[in-house]
């Protein structure tokens, strides 16, 4: 596990997941988006009090939004590759969870809510842009957790 690996993983994920959103955006049924919005709205009230609760919150939110875009992207190979990347990122987060800032839960929610908002509006380009921004921000947050984990270990 290295910072170089983390950067490369996110670089690939950013490019491929934006493709997933672009392919899926017009195929996701409106009813499915409304169900996601309802669940996302319930997440807005969640205030994790521990590292493990925060991690579970992030995983559930990712599964909710990223999962549905993967489901509707229409490309099994792309879906499998991106799922593999997400699993690797989640393994980093499990390792780094003691150093995660649970105050970031609101940022995670806001970024995912923006993606969902644009999907619901049918604005594919803005949904893609919002996802790219979310993943770039996630990378920066994860790098902070990474640095803190290794500073703490020294």
């Amino acid at each position: 596990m290295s910072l170089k690996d983390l950067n490369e993983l996110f670089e690939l994920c950013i490019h491929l997941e934006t493709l997933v959103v672009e392919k899926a955006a017009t195929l996701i049924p409106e009813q499915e988006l409304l169900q996601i919005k309802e669940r996302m709205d319930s997440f807005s009230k969640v205030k994790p009090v521990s590292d493990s609760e925060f991690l579970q919150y992030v995983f559930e939110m990712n599964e909710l939004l990223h999962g549905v875009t993967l489901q509707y992207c229409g490309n099994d190979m792309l879906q499998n590759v991106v799922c593999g990347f997400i699993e690797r990122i989640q393994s980093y987060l499990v390792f780094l969870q003691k150093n995660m800032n649970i105050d970031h839960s609101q940022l995670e929610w806001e970024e995912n809510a923006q993606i969902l908002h644009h999907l619901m509006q049918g604005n594919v380009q803005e949904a893609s842009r919002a996802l790219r921004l979310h993943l770039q921000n996630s990378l920066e947050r994860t790098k902070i957790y990474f640095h803190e984990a290794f500073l703490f270990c020294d």
Side-chain angles (χ1 to χ4, degrees), residues 10 12-25 61-62 65-67 69-70 82 86 108 110-119 123-139 141:
F10 267 93
L12 291 169
C13 207
I14 287 168
H15 289 290
L16 293 178
E17 259 203 274
T18 54
L19 176 60
V20 166
V21 164
E22 290 164 6
K23 291 178 71 56
M61 216 172 4
N62 284 343
L65 188 58
H66 299 260
T69 58
L70 284 165
V82 171
I86 290 171
E108 289 283 338
E110 289 170 5
E111 291 168 5
N112 279 283
Q114 274 299 313
I115 299 164
L116 178 60
H117 171 75
H118 294 302
L119 287 171
N123 193 331
V124 177
Q125 293 303 66
E126 285 302 309
S128 178
R129 186 195 62 72
L131 175 66
R132 179 177 295 276
L133 180 62
H134 165 59
L135 292 173
Q136 289 168 336
N137 289 340
S138 292
L139 171 59
R141 286 189 290 267

Side-chain angles (χ1 to χ4, degrees), residues 18-99:
T18 54
L19 176 60
V20 166
V21 164
E22 290 164 6
K23 291 178 71 56
T26 59
L27 302 174
I28 303 169
E30 183 178 346
Q31 186 61 35
E32 185 115 28
L33 292 172
L34 290 171
Q35 290 173 348
I36 293 170
K37 181 172 180 356
E38 186 177 299
R39 185 72 177 117
M40 286 288 294
D41 287 347
S42 74
F43 277 135
S44 72
K45 299 168 184 65
V46 172
K47 301 291 183 236
V49 294
S50 70
D51 298 326
S52 60
E53 278 185 29
F54 174 69
L55 194 58
Q56 185 62 34
Y57 172 84
V58 170
F59 287 176
E60 285 181 35
M61 216 172 4
N62 284 343
E63 177 60 32
L64 194 63
L65 188 58
H66 299 260
V68 80
T69 58
L70 284 165
Q71 179 183 346
Y72 286 96
C73 77
N75 183 321
D76 292 340
M77 291 179 85
L78 178 60
Q79 182 181 23
N80 290 334
V81 169
V82 171
C83 281
F85 290 154
I86 290 171
E87 288 171 8
R88 284 194 66 192
I89 290 169
Q90 288 180 337
S91 69
Y92 272 82
L93 294 177
V94 167
F95 173 76
L96 300 171
Q97 74 175 317
K98 295 280 189 246
N99 298 34

